[in-house]
Amino acid sequence: FSLPCECLISLFNVINCLPDLLSLRNFFDEAIQKLSPGGIFLFEAWNGIECMINPPEVVIRNFISPDGSHLNRKALPELNLPLQKLQIEYEIWGRMRGRLVKIKSVHDIRLFTINEIMYLLSSVGFKSLQVYSSLPDLEPFDFNSANPPRMLTFTASV
């Protein structure tokens, strides 16, 4: 048993770890059941259409700290357009506190569209649906933008 809450927050694109639309609908249904009347649900998600039109590319980032530690991160994305899935393999290597670091990690991401997300939110009873650019900016989403953001924040209320 848990008491209803006034606000639920899901950061770091957690919904994109769900494998399909049914799982997403179930997630939204569970969220609305946890909220009290007037409660707010805020969550982040990849902009599915933008990622399918302009897929992520290989990116290498270098992180250096004042203590001499350094890490390199290579992101190797692979888009499966028909399934609306993106797999990103991360390779991380370098030295941290004098120790050699070498890690591989694979992230399977489901690219939901804004329309899919909005439809499923409303289908379980959410209202006042809004779309913004991702944190920290939270600019209202411009559906006519020629350069839409890759990451989005959604809000909905009970």
Side-chain angles (χ1 to χ4, degrees):
F1 173 76
S2 64
L3 296 174
C5 56
E6 294 179 19
C7 182
L8 286 176
I9 299 173
S10 176
L11 301 177
F12 309 111
N13 311 306
V14 167
I15 71 161
N16 297 106
C17 296
L18 299 170
D20 52 44
L21 291 169
L22 180 59
S23 298
L24 182 60
R25 186 185 189 287
N26 291 341
F27 181 80
F28 290 160
D29 190 46
E30 186 74 23
I32 200 167
Q33 291 177 39
K34 300 292 183 196
L35 286 165
S36 58
I40 302 291
F41 181 33
L42 179 143
F43 63 93
E44 296 175 316
W46 286 71
N47 182 346
I49 295 290
E50 175 60 17
C51 291
M52 288 184 267
I53 292 171
N54 297 304
E57 298 177 356
V58 173
V59 174
I60 298 176
R61 292 202 172 119
N62 303 302
F63 305 93
I64 301 170
S65 70
D67 71 359
S69 295
H70 66 278
L71 290 175
N72 305 291
R73 186 190 78 179
K74 184 176 187 179
L76 302 153
E78 185 176 316
L79 179 65
N80 182 327
L81 193 56
L83 295 178
Q84 289 179 226
K85 293 189 177 187
L86 176 64
Q87 185 176 76
I88 304 177
E89 180 178 320
Y90 291 100
E91 296 176 2
I92 301 168
W93 70 95
R95 285 201 172 274
M96 190 157 204
R97 296 186 193 110
R99 292 181 156 174
L100 187 61
V101 174
K102 190 170 185 176
I103 302 168
K104 279 192 178 186
S105 175
V106 176
H107 298 215
D108 291 315
I109 297 165
R110 173 60 157 80
L111 297 170
F112 299 107
T113 68
I114 293 172
N115 287 342
E116 289 171 333
I117 291 169
M118 300 292 262
Y119 173 78
L120 291 175
L121 284 167
S122 63
S123 77
V124 300
F126 278 107
K127 300 178 181 4
S128 301
L129 311 176
Q130 301 292 321
V131 185
Y132 302 90
S133 62
S134 63
L135 293 164
D137 301 329
L138 291 178
E139 296 290 330
F141 182 76
D142 178 359
F143 284 87
N144 297 312
S145 173
N147 188 24
R150 188 174 295 254
M151 301 296 177
L152 301 172
T153 299
F154 292 79
T155 62
S157 63
V158 179

